[in-house]
Amino acid sequence: MKVTYVGHATVMIEGSRNILIDPFFNGNPAATLKIEDLPKIDYIIVTHGHADHLGDTVEIAKKHGSIVIANFEIGVYLQRKGIDRIHTMHIGGKHDFGDMKVKLTPAHHGSSILEDGQIIYAGNPAGAIVEMDHRKVYHAGDTGLSKDMELLANDYIDLAFVPIGGNYTMDAEDAFMATKMIQPKVVVPIHYNTWPLIEADPEEFCKKVSEIDIKCRVLKPGESIEL
Ligand code: NI
Ligand code: MN
């Protein structure tokens, strides 16, 4: 399985199926990949409604015929945008898609969609655990630190993506505590340095994480990890 950090919070998993999490390309200063360069995307997982996560879901799903996995409210919104392959779930729910499994996890954040100056209710924000090809990848979504993350240690996560940028999410210090609770085999920091407001030092984060014997990798946008 190959997992690519596209940039900001966008992650692509390529294995027996190709999955995009929070596909933010247009307007993403950190994205190195272009929509045109994507392989066939079978599934898109949307953690919450904010523009830097919902991103280009509509365009990509229409182009690839992807199944979009999101909460019910985002599902209804996407249906109105003409997406016909939608699978809605909520936090704590797990679904076996046959070729992979997804479980939505708690995230402490907001999840509205801003359109034409109006706020559209977009349900609760989430994180996601993707299980495919005997590997488990956890994407925390946008979230603050919470003690619930301790439960994720029971999932034996192979690879975890955690936000470190602060202001809207955990900062590096809180992400360190989160990592300690999650106990993944490998952790990769995300959601930082895209804009000045979320500046963080990923190397500093990884140095601290390495001291508690958890592997940490700083991926530049466009870089991948083989699992
Ligand atoms: Ni957000
Ligand atoms: Mn965000």
Side-chain angles (χ1 to χ4, degrees):
M1 182 197 280
K2 187 177 154 193
V3 187
T4 305
Y5 178 46
V6 178
H8 191 55
T10 308
V11 168
M12 179 165 66
I13 305 173
E14 291 168 274
S16 37
R17 288 291 178 271
N18 297 329
I19 305 163
L20 263 180
I21 305 177
D22 289 351
F24 176 38
F25 292 86
N26 291 313
N28 181 355
T32 46
L33 263 172
K34 286 198 174 91
I35 291 176
E36 301 83 74
D37 304 329
L38 291 172
K40 162 112 174 79
I41 299 299
D42 303 293
Y43 298 97
I44 298 172
I45 299 171
V46 182
T47 63
H48 64 292
H50 293 160
D52 56 322
H53 298 262
L54 182 61
D56 302 291
T57 296
V58 172
E59 182 182 336
I60 299 165
K62 278 186 183 165
K63 191 174 161 195
H64 293 254
S66 331
I67 295 174
V68 183
I69 300 160
N71 68 32
F72 177 76
E73 292 80 3
I74 293 175
V76 171
Y77 170 85
L78 290 171
Q79 207 166 24
R80 275 198 242 120
K81 296 282 166 190
I83 305 297
D84 47 11
R85 300 184 79 198
I86 297 163
H87 182 96
T88 61
M89 301 175 68
H90 272 298
I91 289 169
K94 186 175 180 178
H95 184 73
D96 187 346
F97 290 83
D99 33 37
M100 61 112 190
K101 291 175 191 155
V102 174
K103 183 178 184 182
L104 294 189
T105 58
H108 296 278
H109 194 64
S111 174
S112 53
I113 297 165
L114 182 65
E115 199 171 76
D116 305 324
Q118 299 290 319
I119 288 282
I120 300 170
Y121 176 64
N124 289 314
I129 298 172
V130 178
E131 196 179 340
M132 183 171 71
D133 302 341
H134 310 290
R135 297 283 182 275
K136 271 188 194 174
V137 179
Y138 167 62
H139 187 295
D142 279 0
T143 185
L145 179 65
S146 89
K147 209 158 184 290
D148 285 351
M149 288 171 172
E150 228 167 54
L151 294 169
L152 293 168
N154 300 315
D155 279 292
Y156 301 100
I157 303 291
D158 292 291
L159 174 60
F161 289 93
V162 297
I164 66 161
N167 193 74
Y168 302 109
T169 67
M170 299 188 279
D171 59 11
E173 231 168 87
D174 281 359
F176 167 73
M177 285 195 274
T179 304
K180 218 164 141 178
M181 286 191 264
I182 301 163
Q183 291 287 316
K185 287 206 185 97
V186 184
V187 65
V188 172
I190 60 169
H191 211 277
Y192 65 94
N193 292 355
T194 318
W195 300 286
L197 197 52
I198 55 170
E199 253 167 41
D201 184 348
E203 300 292 348
E204 184 78 29
F205 168 74
C206 274
K207 205 179 139 230
K208 236 180 135 186
V209 168
S210 312
E211 283 162 13
I212 53 165
D213 286 324
I214 293 173
K215 250 199 212 166
C216 186
R217 285 273 310 271
V218 176
L219 292 183
K220 287 198 194 90
E223 286 185 341
S224 308
I225 284 187
E226 292 283 346
L227 281 184

